[in-house]
Amino acid sequence: MRELAIVGIGQTPVSENWGQSIREIAGEAILYALEDAGLDSTDGLFIGNMLSGILSKQESLGALLADWIGLKHTEAVKIEAACGSGAAALRMAIMAVGSGELDSAIAAGVEKMTETKGTETTAALATAADADYEIIHGLSFVGINALVMQRYLFEYGWKHTDFAPFSINAHANAMHNPYARLHEVITEKDYKKSRMISDPINLLDASPIGDGAAAVVVVPVEELHPRLSASGRDHRPIITIAGSALATDTLAVHSRSDPLWLTAAEKSARLAYAQAGVAPEDIDLFEVHDAFSIMSALSLEACGFAERGQGPRLGLEGMITPKGRIPISTRGGLKARGHPVGATGIYQIVEVVQQLRGEAAGTQVDGARVGMAQNIGGSGATIATHILKALR
Amino acid sequence: MRELAIVGIGQTPVSENWGQSIREIAGEAILYALEDAGLDSTDGLFIGNMLSGILSKQESLGALLADWIGLKHTEAVKIEAACGSGAAALRMAIMAVGSGELDSAIAAGVEKMTETKGTETTAALATAADADYEIIHGLSFVGINALVMQRYLFEYGWKHTDFAPFSINAHANAMHNPYARLHEVITEKDYKKSRMISDPINLLDASPIGDGAAAVVVVPVEELHPRLSASGRDHRPIITIAGSALATDTLAVHSRSDPLWLTAAEKSARLAYAQAGVAPEDIDLFEVHDAFSIMSALSLEACGFAERGQGPRLGLEGMITPKGRIPISTRGGLKARGHPVGATGIYQIVEVVQQLRGEAAGTQVDGARVGMAQNIGGSGATIATHILKALR
């Protein structure tokens, strides 16, 4: 497969956006990404989205958006992998352009989920889990994650407050991200007194849903120099896609031999490391899928940044901040940037590109050259890992 | 992109199947395809599906099915392009294996749509059209197609009964297909007295929905000989994917400069012809997307088998039967094999492979060497065209 680069990024603020329809939100992010790339069009459009059919009564998002943004008759489809839909769409764009079948593509993610009733949105999100073996028992999606966290606390002996640094770091970083949903510094005290949602997951362990879209433009590196020169953007580093992999696990958490180990994260990270020729110690920042704080810990462990059961230690030792050993959620993460589910995986990529370009004002990781993003669908069922590198 | 072949096919009978869940239906077809290929597993699973979230309250079909059929930790996602989801999933499998990113993949389609109330299923199908500009006015999906057919009759001066041969041919062919939903020969008299659904579309112009799944296994041709020899299947012709393309059009039919011309069919067919190095006269059979009889006419015209406005003539002149110049719907088509929407595009591919292998008992097209399938999502919004060739 030929080497690829990300030459354009776009995003909309994650918010409660009742003023725009799903096509308007997605169109905005895609047009920003094209503008950032200095391109008018691409050969393909891959849309990550989970809930448009259920919540917006709208499928066929691929064709809808290709038309809406003026990509007449372009190849376009929607990719669904629950909350991992965004990175799954990027995977498809990578294979489409990498194969030579297309010369360029947009991978975008969009979700509109706040305009419906809360119970409706919660029921829709539950379709990410196993309908026949999990949801039928009355579990919600947060309920499943609460069971995992409960077990983690029991197995490894951590206190609930040991997870506070994940949330505190995410909120602090989001203060510097104008696209983040939450702009509110929180303290350990806030975390402790936060309202319980599903024991032991409290409000500050959980990411807020939201409406939003993000998009990136993928082209082959071999075609990059003439394009960039023409657009006057060749002062920016070239951001290559050095590693990309997607793996799955059982949808129902109870079917796993070890419910506290994200095998799909481990596998996809291992493949991505090998492709990129790097190891965990080479990663300068890591956008984790912190839908719930427990997921940050599990991801850090599965990807080799912490020993099994030791994820919370990284937070307690200050290693996850922008100045730490392995900065995570550097633009706010799902926790504070917000979690418009099908869009999240692309927001993460946009944020890694910002870091590698040196455009992450306020939370810039000094000298960031290699960044990683990991997007999770279901409670660890579909996990895609991408590693980007800056060529200066 | 490296050259690819289809080495395994599987399908379940299209039916009203309340006894199996969506995972069981899909799993059956996928396991048949693997068995037919003589393989235990593949590196990827691409699931075409439109309605699982709305009707089965189940998203994450990729991870769900990878686990269900025992493909532990394999890359797996769902692709949605309304009724064109099946062929869109095949496109993704092609790019995944063609790029070298994966060494083999399954493209499958599945839909379970009869266990819900009819009004619920009709509303779900309407998500294929433009929610904000078509459906909001009270149109159903069949209603949109009826407007197109009405206009076609007016513009080109055909009588409604001139469309009877499409339906008669499909029903006759389905008599020989054990997987077809309808096994009932119909006559022109039956067509004339058929119940009106949405004027001028009557019951025999419309395809029946259904529950069903189909799957194909895609591998590189370069790896084919050792695999086939090992499996003892080398007496069969090698079926290559000679052409594959997907194009889109406006989702709302009223936005097209000519609502009677399928530009996305024309574009995707033109690209597929060029890749395969063939022209319409080289195509031995054509599995059209006859969701409604009007769509057969429009597809035949856009793909170069009939002049503009002359599609019905092919039926009236007997050219679409298995012995005719351009056999269509050779195993029953959507009209009589049935239309489990997200699965249909893969059923079409399975049927073309049957023809090219000489396994289409009863409706075998003599000496078939080059077959084409065209799958449509929405009323012409997303159209994928595939051309397969038999190497003997």
Side-chain angles (χ1 to χ4, degrees):
Chain A
M1 206 170 68
R2 54 185 176 171
E3 193 180 11
L4 303 175
I6 292 177
V7 293
I9 56 175
Q11 58 185 325
T12 66
V14 180
S15 64
E16 195 161 330
N17 185 349
W18 295 22
Q20 287 185 299
S21 69
I22 193 166
R23 84 184 76 193
E24 291 171 317
I25 297 171
E28 210 171 288
I30 294 168
L31 292 176
Y32 285 143
L34 280 171
E35 189 187 358
D36 185 54
L39 296 175
D40 292 329
S41 67
T42 63
D43 292 348
L45 181 60
F46 299 88
I47 305 290
N49 171 268
M50 177 183 176
L51 300 171
S52 72
I54 300 176
L55 298 182
S56 299
K57 315 296 178 208
Q58 182 69 74
E59 290 293 358
S60 294
L61 276 191
L64 183 82
L65 288 171
D67 175 45
W68 181 250
I69 60 172
L71 294 181
K72 266 184 176 308
H73 310 306
T74 295
E75 173 150 24
V77 295
K78 161 176 160 172
I79 318 291
E80 186 277 328
C83 307
S85 300
L90 176 60
R91 274 292 285 160
M92 296 301 123
I94 289 170
M95 296 194 287
V97 183
S99 67
E101 186 73 0
L102 305 183
D103 284 328
S104 60
I106 293 162
V110 62
E111 209 72 68
K112 182 167 171 67
M113 51 199 306
T114 72
E115 208 169 330
T116 34
K117 274 186 283 188
T119 48
E120 214 178 312
T121 308
T122 300
L125 283 169
T127 64
D130 194 313
D132 296 344
Y133 296 98
E134 290 183 318
I135 301 307
I136 202 170
H137 301 292
L139 267 174
S140 66
F141 194 67
V142 58
I144 294 169
N145 284 274
L147 290 172
V148 173
M149 189 173 188
Q150 193 72 270
R151 185 76 199 171
Y152 189 94
L153 297 177
F154 172 80
E155 283 289 341
Y156 300 118
W158 296 100
K159 300 190 303 295
H160 178 255
T161 48
D162 294 330
F163 284 78
F166 292 122
S167 191
I168 293 167
N169 171 62
H171 276 267
N173 293 341
M175 294 301 290
H176 302 276
N177 179 2
Y179 298 94
R181 173 138 198 212
L182 304 178
H183 291 112
E184 194 174 355
V185 172
I186 64 157
T187 63
E188 192 177 333
K189 197 173 153 198
D190 295 324
Y191 181 81
K192 281 182 179 167
K193 69 177 191 202
S194 173
R195 183 158 60 87
M196 188 56 67
I197 303 295
S198 182
D199 194 7
I201 290 180
N202 70 24
L203 192 63
L204 290 178
D205 284 311
S207 58
I209 61 166
D211 306 323
V216 299
V217 179
V218 177
V219 304
V221 170
E222 69 207 29
E223 288 185 23
L224 205 56
H225 297 287
R227 281 179 197 248
L228 283 186
S229 302
S231 68
R233 283 167 175 77
D234 49 7
H235 59 282
R236 299 196 305 213
I238 293 174
I239 310 296
T240 64
I241 301 171
S244 168
L246 186 150
T248 55
D249 203 340
T250 69
L251 195 55
V253 174
H254 62 245
S255 297
R256 297 178 200 157
S257 55
D258 181 354
L260 299 182
W261 189 253
L262 297 179
T263 306
E266 181 191 10
K267 181 183 173 186
S268 64
R270 190 179 65 236
L271 291 169
Y273 287 144
Q275 290 167 19
V278 299
E281 53 268 29
D282 301 313
I283 304 296
D284 296 318
L285 70 134
F286 179 20
E287 292 303 330
V288 298
H289 189 93
D290 54 341
F292 303 101
S293 53
I294 178 65
M295 296 310 279
S296 297
L298 296 181
S299 282
L300 286 164
E301 294 168 25
C303 297
F305 296 101
E307 294 295 309
R308 183 183 290 252
Q310 299 303 308
R313 189 176 306 280
L314 293 176
L316 292 169
E317 293 177 353
M319 291 163 80
I320 61 171
T321 68
K323 302 287 176 208
R325 153 65 202 100
I326 179 67
I328 68 172
S329 310
T330 70
R331 308 297 288 155
L334 282 64
K335 177 65 200 81
R337 175 240 298 127
H339 185 26
V341 296
T344 288
I346 303 290
Y347 274 99
Q348 294 178 314
I349 299 295
V350 164
E351 292 159 356
V352 172
V353 171
Q354 288 181 321
Q355 286 283 1
L356 299 184
R357 281 184 183 171
E359 296 173 356
T363 55
Q364 180 66 47
V365 174
D366 286 341
R369 295 285 298 276
V370 183
M372 183 157 103
Q374 187 167 75
N375 187 202
I376 304 185
S379 305
T382 310
I383 307 189
T385 305
H386 286 92
I387 296 175
L388 309 184
K389 281 186 184 176
L391 306 182
R392 279 169 211 273
Chain B
M1 205 170 68
R2 53 186 178 172
E3 194 180 9
L4 303 176
I6 292 177
V7 293
I9 56 175
Q11 58 184 325
T12 66
V14 179
S15 64
E16 195 162 330
N17 184 350
W18 296 21
Q20 287 185 299
S21 69
I22 193 165
R23 84 184 76 191
E24 291 171 317
I25 297 172
E28 211 172 288
I30 294 168
L31 292 176
Y32 285 143
L34 281 171
E35 189 186 358
D36 185 54
L39 296 175
D40 292 329
S41 67
T42 63
D43 292 347
L45 181 59
F46 298 89
I47 305 291
N49 171 268
M50 177 182 177
L51 301 171
S52 72
I54 301 176
L55 298 182
S56 299
K57 315 295 179 209
Q58 182 68 73
E59 290 294 357
S60 293
L61 275 192
L64 183 83
L65 289 170
D67 175 46
W68 180 251
I69 60 172
L71 294 181
K72 267 183 175 306
H73 311 305
T74 295
E75 173 150 23
V77 295
K78 161 174 160 173
I79 318 291
E80 187 277 327
C83 307
S85 300
L90 176 59
R91 274 290 287 161
M92 296 301 123
I94 288 170
M95 295 195 287
V97 183
S99 68
E101 186 74 359
L102 305 182
D103 284 328
S104 59
I106 293 162
V110 63
E111 210 72 67
K112 181 167 170 66
M113 50 197 308
T114 71
E115 209 169 330
T116 33
K117 275 186 283 186
T119 48
E120 214 179 313
T121 309
T122 299
L125 284 168
T127 64
D130 194 312
D132 296 343
Y133 295 99
E134 290 183 319
I135 300 307
I136 202 169
H137 299 292
L139 267 174
S140 66
F141 195 66
V142 58
I144 294 169
N145 283 274
L147 290 172
V148 173
M149 189 173 187
Q150 193 71 271
R151 185 76 199 171
Y152 189 94
L153 296 177
F154 172 81
E155 282 290 340
Y156 300 119
W158 296 100
K159 299 189 306 294
H160 177 255
T161 48
D162 294 330
F163 284 78
F166 292 122
S167 191
I168 293 167
N169 171 62
H171 276 266
N173 293 342
M175 295 300 290
H176 302 275
N177 179 3
Y179 297 94
R181 173 138 197 211
L182 303 178
H183 291 112
E184 196 175 353
V185 171
I186 64 156
T187 63
E188 191 177 332
K189 197 174 152 194
D190 296 322
Y191 181 81
K192 281 182 179 168
K193 71 179 187 198
S194 175
R195 183 158 59 88
M196 189 55 67
I197 303 295
S198 182
D199 194 7
I201 291 180
N202 70 23
L203 193 64
L204 290 177
D205 285 310
S207 57
I209 61 166
D211 305 322
V216 299
V217 179
V218 176
V219 303
V221 170
E222 68 207 31
E223 288 184 23
L224 203 57
H225 297 286
R227 280 179 196 250
L228 282 187
S229 301
S231 68
R233 284 169 172 76
D234 50 7
H235 60 282
R236 297 195 309 210
I238 292 173
I239 309 298
T240 64
I241 301 171
S244 167
L246 187 150
T248 56
D249 204 342
T250 68
L251 195 54
V253 174
H254 62 244
S255 297
R256 296 177 200 157
S257 56
D258 182 354
L260 299 182
W261 188 255
L262 296 179
T263 305
E266 181 191 10
K267 180 182 173 186
S268 64
R270 189 178 64 234
L271 291 170
Y273 288 145
Q275 290 166 18
V278 300
E281 52 269 29
D282 301 313
I283 304 295
D284 296 318
L285 69 134
F286 180 20
E287 291 304 330
V288 297
H289 189 92
D290 54 340
F292 302 101
S293 53
I294 178 67
M295 295 310 279
S296 299
L298 297 181
S299 282
L300 286 164
E301 295 168 24
C303 297
F305 296 101
E307 293 294 311
R308 184 182 288 252
Q310 299 302 308
R313 189 176 307 280
L314 293 176
L316 293 168
E317 292 177 353
M319 291 163 80
I320 60 172
T321 68
K323 302 288 179 206
R325 154 63 205 100
I326 180 64
I328 68 171
S329 311
T330 70
R331 308 297 289 156
L334 283 63
K335 177 66 201 81
R337 175 240 298 127
H339 184 27
V341 295
T344 288
I346 304 290
Y347 273 99
Q348 293 177 315
I349 299 294
V350 164
E351 292 160 356
V352 172
V353 171
Q354 288 181 321
Q355 286 284 2
L356 300 183
R357 282 183 182 172
E359 295 173 356
T363 55
Q364 180 64 49
V365 173
D366 287 342
R369 296 286 299 277
V370 184
M372 183 157 104
Q374 187 166 75
N375 188 202
I376 303 183
S379 305
T382 310
I383 307 189
T385 305
H386 285 91
I387 296 175
L388 309 184
K389 281 186 182 176
L391 306 181
R392 279 170 210 274

